[in-house]
Amino acid sequence: MAPYQYIERPTPFLTKGGKTLPIFAVTPAHIETGTIDPIALDWAKKAGYKAETGSLLLIPTSEGHLGGALFGLGSQPAENPFLTGKLARALPAGDWHIETAPLTANRLILGYGLGSYRFDRYKAERVETPRLMIPQDADAADIHRQLAGVFLARDLINTPTNDMGPVELEKAFRALADHYKADVTVITGDNLLTHNFPLVHTVGRASAEAPRLLEMRWGKKGHKKVTLVGKGVCFDTGGLDIKPSSSMLLMKKDMGGAANVMGLALMIMDAKLKVDLRVIVPAVENSIAGNAFRPGDVYTSRKGLTVQIDNTDAEGRLILADALAYADEDQPDLLIDMATLTGAARVALGPDVPAFFTNDDTLAYDLSEASLEVDDPLWRMPLFAGYEKLVRSNVADLTNAPAGGMAGAITAALFLKRFVTNTESWAHFDIFAWASQERPHSPVGGEAQVIRALYRHIASLK
């Protein structure tokens, strides 16, 4: 069975033999020492080609036809592990194979696949793209599933809210579950109050599309319990504390946490990992209407803790609070939440390095090792107890928006920590879920972050 696709697209790969053109992936040393194909070397020298990082030189045949290509890796190929993603956008259409490359087959092919991504759902014109032969020593099945997980996250984030509100997110959630024969339950609208999800209801009640809690279960009882929670704010106006227009431009991506846990769930289910998987997504739109929640309001959470609303734009932690309390009641062996939560994390680490928080040192070490193994960056930040006082309120148990603006990513994580009291291994990921600049392995747009590292870690659980 092929991995699930939210948007059907042709594969960027060839899996069967046929006539293909060669790509010589080379460093400057290959050119200097002449350790490549003599025809390619002769053309490179005549063209003054230096194999600079990401450079491409097409090679003609003696008859003047396209005969192959040279691709520059630069002098330090390890610094750009997914550089081959540039080939997917730079090569002419046709069928290609890698003739030589000082890279592992899996990394080379995964990089190419990641770089092949295009979001052209709303474009009339389709661009013909190249295809690359997968070498026999590459793990084709695992590469396909990792790409499917990454592409699912990117597709969901890139889709504008008029086509990706809470209703459509639920449809995508159900389609993913149906593909892998997982069970789904959904609690919608005022039923959230009946089932004790008051904060999810509070944040989403002003939208034309009712708020909802999505839950998926897959796997066998008795295996390690792995629970994934993703923030699903399909659009965030900021509520009554309305954002300026410039800050709303990317708010379709505020469900990036949900998109990423769904991409991770795809990888887990497609690989048939021996885990008892649970995925929880509170799906809402933070809108403005007469029944919108207000600054100064106080609400009781599922956990029983009361929360004073000091800023309606700090809504993500509210819906996560109910979802995490619900997840924590089952005491999973591993609890992961992912959210586009704070600008403070971006100020600290930039857009490409997600922050994570955990009190489990072993888990932190294992996640960091997995990150390095698969080149999926992340960085641990502290759950500093000295800042606990900042999340307290004079009126309620907690405030959703501490005054002062300092240590915002930490105080948000400390807020969430109050709702996880039974689970020993919990990690919170504060992600950006967006590529602000084109990179070899991704265009500008929605991005999967951390999920390849988490997939590697979860696959290693015993």
Side-chain angles (χ1 to χ4, degrees):
M1 178 177 67
Y4 171 73
Q5 291 190 79
Y6 174 70
I7 295 176
E8 294 287 336
R9 49 172 55 90
T11 177
F13 301 121
L14 286 167
T15 54
K16 295 182 179 179
K19 186 177 181 180
T20 58
L21 295 172
I23 302 166
F24 302 93
V26 295
T27 66
H30 289 104
I31 304 296
E32 293 168 7
T33 59
T35 52
I36 59 171
D37 177 82
I39 296 176
L41 177 64
D42 179 63
W43 185 252
K45 289 183 175 180
K46 287 177 179 176
Y49 183 69
K50 304 297 184 183
E52 295 171 338
T53 303
S55 59
L56 181 71
L57 179 67
L58 299 179
I59 305 169
T61 65
S62 57
E63 293 82 22
H65 302 301
L66 180 60
L70 282 161
F71 182 64
L73 301 175
S75 57
Q76 301 292 332
E79 294 180 357
N80 297 282
F82 300 121
L83 184 63
T84 49
K86 292 193 72 170
L87 285 169
R89 298 193 293 276
L91 285 172
D95 294 339
W96 299 81
H97 71 273
I98 299 290
E99 185 75 21
T100 58
L103 300 168
T104 65
N106 281 346
R107 193 61 52 88
L108 183 154
I109 297 299
L110 181 61
Y112 182 89
L114 291 169
S116 74
Y117 177 84
R118 287 171 174 81
F119 185 75
D120 54 9
R121 175 178 176 178
Y122 299 95
K123 292 187 176 183
E125 185 178 354
R126 296 290 191 271
V127 178
E128 191 177 359
T129 57
R131 296 189 301 173
L132 186 67
M133 174 70 72
I134 297 181
Q136 291 185 349
D137 56 341
D139 188 342
D142 198 58
I143 289 168
H144 278 293
R145 85 171 50 96
Q146 289 191 58
L147 291 177
V150 169
F151 285 12
L152 173 59
R154 291 176 177 177
D155 284 344
L156 295 176
I157 296 166
N158 283 328
T159 302
T161 308
N162 59 306
D163 286 328
M164 190 49 65
V167 170
E168 291 81 11
L169 185 58
E170 178 186 335
K171 289 179 181 177
F173 192 85
R174 288 185 181 277
L176 174 64
D178 287 347
H179 189 84
Y180 293 105
K181 297 180 172 55
D183 297 322
V184 170
T185 56
V186 178
I187 302 170
T188 306
D190 289 344
N191 284 331
L192 289 165
L193 297 175
T194 304
H195 290 84
N196 194 22
F197 295 99
L199 295 182
V200 179
H201 182 271
T202 293
V203 173
R205 70 191 184 199
S207 172
E209 293 190 10
R212 59 205 65 211
L213 187 92
L214 316 176
E215 182 175 1
M216 181 190 307
R217 288 182 176 269
W218 175 91
K220 293 183 179 179
K221 301 296 181 183
H223 290 157
K224 288 279 188 181
K225 290 182 181 179
V226 174
T227 299
L228 311 176
V229 176
K231 173 187 169 185
V233 177
C234 295
F235 194 86
D236 180 19
T237 65
L240 293 177
D241 289 309
I242 190 169
K243 295 177 183 288
S245 59
S246 59
S247 297
M248 283 196 218
L249 289 175
L250 288 182
M251 282 301 100
K252 69 176 183 179
K253 79 171 183 68
D254 213 18
M255 39 64 71
N260 272 275
V261 298
M262 289 170 65
L264 175 56
L266 183 157
M267 296 180 194
I268 291 169
M269 294 186 292
D270 196 82
K272 299 181 175 62
L273 298 186
K274 293 183 177 180
V275 297
D276 181 359
L277 179 66
R278 189 181 183 202
V279 185
I280 300 170
V281 170
V284 303
E285 184 177 351
N286 188 18
S287 298
I288 298 171
N291 63 339
F293 69 121
R294 298 166 291 255
D297 286 353
V298 176
Y299 297 96
T300 301
S301 67
R302 180 182 183 87
K303 191 78 168 176
L305 296 170
T306 55
V307 182
Q308 177 172 314
I309 307 303
D310 285 321
N311 192 319
T312 62
D313 197 17
E315 85 299 330
R317 67 198 68 185
L318 298 176
I319 65 173
L320 286 174
D322 273 357
L324 283 171
Y326 179 49
D328 186 56
E329 291 163 10
D330 193 42
Q331 292 185 265
D333 296 294
L334 176 63
L335 174 56
I336 298 292
D337 80 77
M338 302 185 72
T340 50
L341 205 61
T342 70
R346 309 289 75 76
V347 171
L349 300 176
D352 299 337
V353 184
F356 80 100
F357 300 80
T358 182
N359 275 338
D360 185 337
D361 291 340
T362 300
L363 176 61
Y365 175 83
D366 290 342
L367 291 175
S368 297
E369 287 294 296
S371 165
L372 293 172
E373 289 170 7
V374 300
D375 290 294
D376 196 7
L378 50 80
W379 196 261
R380 186 185 187 184
M381 293 183 70
L383 285 164
F384 179 56
Y387 292 155
E388 288 274 7
K389 60 182 179 292
L390 299 178
V391 299
R392 298 175 192 147
S393 166
N394 292 329
V395 175
D397 295 319
L398 299 167
T399 171
N400 79 321
M406 302 288 281
I410 298 174
T411 56
L414 289 169
F415 178 94
L416 296 178
K417 179 175 173 286
R418 296 292 295 272
F419 298 89
V420 181
T421 57
N422 300 313
T423 304
E424 293 184 4
S425 289
W426 161 66
H428 158 60
F429 288 86
D430 192 332
I431 66 174
F432 191 51
W434 191 263
S436 302
Q437 297 179 333
E438 182 177 292
R439 296 169 296 178
H441 59 285
S442 68
V444 173
E447 184 60 303
Q449 293 184 306
V450 181
I451 61 174
R452 290 187 300 103
L454 285 168
Y455 170 59
R456 171 62 67 93
H457 172 66
I458 294 168
S460 72
L461 294 178
K462 303 297 182 184

